[in-house]
Amino acid sequence: MQHRAADILVAGGGPAGATIARLLALRGRQVVLVDPGTRRTERLEIIAPAACRVAEAVGIAHLLYDASLSWPCSGIRRRWGTAEIELDDFLRRPGGKGYVIDRAPFDDALRAMAMDVAVERIAGRVVAARREGGAVVVGVQSGAQRISIAAALVIDATGRPSAVARRMGARRLPSERLVAERQPVDVLRAPDRETPWLDVDGAHNAWSYQVSGPNGRCEAWTVYRPGDRPGRPQSCADASSSLLSRAAGDGWIAIGDAAASFDPVTSQGLVNALSTALVAAGAILSSDGLDDNARGIYADAVAATFHHAEAGRARVYAGLAPPR
Ligand SMILES: Cc1cc2nc3c(=O)[nH]c(=O)nc-3n(C[C@H](O)[C@H](O)[C@H](O)COP(=O)(O)OP(=O)(O)OC[C@H]3O[C@@H](n4cnc5c(N)ncnc54)[C@H](O)[C@@H]3O)c2cc1C
């Protein structure tokens, strides 16, 4: 076992982790980023107009103008079991612009930006975490090697596993368990690349979407409750909406999906990943640091955002036929 120390350890190098690691390193903090780097998120996702504002604030807006990573998106067209189409036109939202991003190269670009400002990267997985003295001691499995890192602060950006927070005593509180299953693309309905809309169809306790994006990609997903369909899905992702019982504690803070994860119908995940990274970095860099008060305010804000998104989700599903 190798032992070492770090000022700040960020666990997880997705959009939330790579962003906060870069923001803190830019302000002179010594940051170690731990991520296995073995599983990329191979998916097209929507950056809604609200997320574009946050992308500017965290200094990554230029990635949205890179055609190899990102493609303009006009909005969302929903068909909830009727012929009538409900349009969520991004032009009508503050900011007026949205994008479809190719997550794998987008995440690679975010991590490269973090490395450029001297974030140290360890290819490994957090497998233990405990409070010891004035530090949080994190066990990292890196290949055959086990590393023990004592950090003054640990940031949990491990996504839905909440790998640090759960070991520090927090619990994930699911609001609704959902699965997203990749579907063959219906080429007849492949969205027009000139006006790419995300097309959503709802029917029989499930909803599906189809979208096209950069690099000629076009994909379709169906989202449903695991008990609603027989058999094991082939290619699927956890799409549950759930909240961490508390988003911060003594020596640690959770950001992005590790703090709260959202049903994809809300298009809330990426804006939450970037905004929690920004807010947490601000608290950490403030003169009082991440004290008791800051942790309480942050955790309350995460919970309020989650409950607000849940209310919006209920309104969207109210239109789904037949009634759930
Ligand atoms: C089907 C589907 C469609 C979606 N569509 C959209 C959309 O259109 N728009 C939108 O805004 N959001 C969407 N989302 C949500 C979005 O994917 C997430 O909100 C986003 O990935 C959160 O980023 P993150 O950095 O918090 O977590 P993640 O992207 O999950 O990154 C977590 C990182 O932590 C690493 N990790 C995990 N465990 C450990 C460990 N023990 N130690 C170290 N590292 C670890 C992982 O390898 C990963 O690199 C969708 C989600 C799903 C499932």
Side-chain angles (χ1 to χ4, degrees):
M1 166 99 77
Q2 185 192 328
H3 293 268
R4 57 170 292 185
D7 178 13
I8 298 175
L9 184 147
V10 178
T19 299
I20 197 166
R22 178 177 51 82
L23 293 176
L24 294 172
L26 276 169
R27 295 296 179 122
R29 304 298 292 264
Q30 183 234 338
V31 184
V32 173
L33 177 66
V34 177
D35 187 277
T38 45
R39 261 184 76 182
R40 298 169 94 210
T41 302
E42 299 283 354
R43 198 159 58 219
L44 295 176
E45 291 190 358
I46 298 284
I47 296 255
C52 297
R53 294 271 179 89
V54 187
E56 273 167 30
V58 299
I60 62 161
H62 61 285
L63 300 182
L64 302 179
Y65 312 130
D66 179 337
S68 67
L69 308 175
S70 176
W71 200 260
C73 178
S74 305
I76 302 172
R77 290 190 290 222
R78 294 193 189 93
R79 229 181 264 105
W80 279 150
T82 61
E84 207 173 306
I85 295 178
E86 182 188 305
L87 278 192
D88 179 356
D89 187 342
F90 286 165
L91 268 179
R92 293 172 182 270
R93 293 223 219 151
K97 278 190 266 179
Y99 296 88
V100 179
I101 56 157
D102 191 348
R103 272 290 303 271
F106 185 81
D107 290 8
D108 289 346
L110 293 179
R111 282 189 288 266
M113 287 172 72
M115 302 310 120
D116 282 351
V117 292
V119 169
E120 180 192 351
R121 183 166 175 195
I122 296 179
R125 175 174 291 279
V126 169
V127 291
R130 64 177 194 285
R131 190 89 186 138
E132 197 177 291
V136 175
V137 178
V138 171
V140 175
Q141 194 65 44
S142 177
Q145 197 184 25
R146 182 77 174 255
I147 311 168
S148 171
I149 306 174
L153 175 68
V154 177
I155 298 170
D156 188 345
T158 60
R160 290 164 191 266
S162 303
V164 175
R166 284 172 47 228
R167 289 182 168 94
M168 300 304 286
R171 283 167 302 123
R172 286 203 61 105
L173 309 172
S175 165
E176 184 167 25
R177 291 191 195 280
L178 294 168
V179 170
E181 186 177 0
R182 195 185 287 271
Q183 304 291 336
V185 172
D186 176 0
V187 281
L188 293 175
R189 285 208 41 234
D192 179 354
R193 292 185 72 79
E194 294 304 310
T195 54
W197 290 77
L198 179 88
D199 279 307
V200 174
D201 283 276
H204 302 295
N205 287 342
W207 63 276
S208 303
Y209 67 89
Q210 185 164 320
V211 67
S212 65
N215 307 317
R217 286 178 69 122
C218 183
E219 54 189 58
W221 292 80
T222 298
V223 179
Y224 56 91
R225 288 182 290 216
D228 282 353
R229 290 193 168 191
R232 257 181 101 81
Q234 289 297 306
S235 168
C236 68
D238 182 2
S240 309
S241 68
S242 64
L243 176 68
L244 203 60
S245 56
R246 57 194 161 96
D250 194 13
W252 66 271
I253 186 166
I255 61 171
D257 274 15
S261 58
F262 302 85
D263 180 338
V265 86
T266 64
S267 300
Q268 181 76 26
L270 289 168
V271 68
N272 182 65
L274 299 178
S275 60
T276 50
L278 182 62
V279 170
I284 292 163
L285 294 166
S286 70
S287 52
D288 290 335
L290 197 61
D291 61 9
D292 235 7
N293 191 34
R295 291 198 298 265
I297 293 170
Y298 173 79
D300 287 350
V302 168
T305 303
F306 178 77
H307 293 305
H308 182 72
E310 282 292 285
R313 189 168 87 90
R315 280 194 299 276
V316 170
Y317 278 123
L320 183 65
R324 313 178 95 220

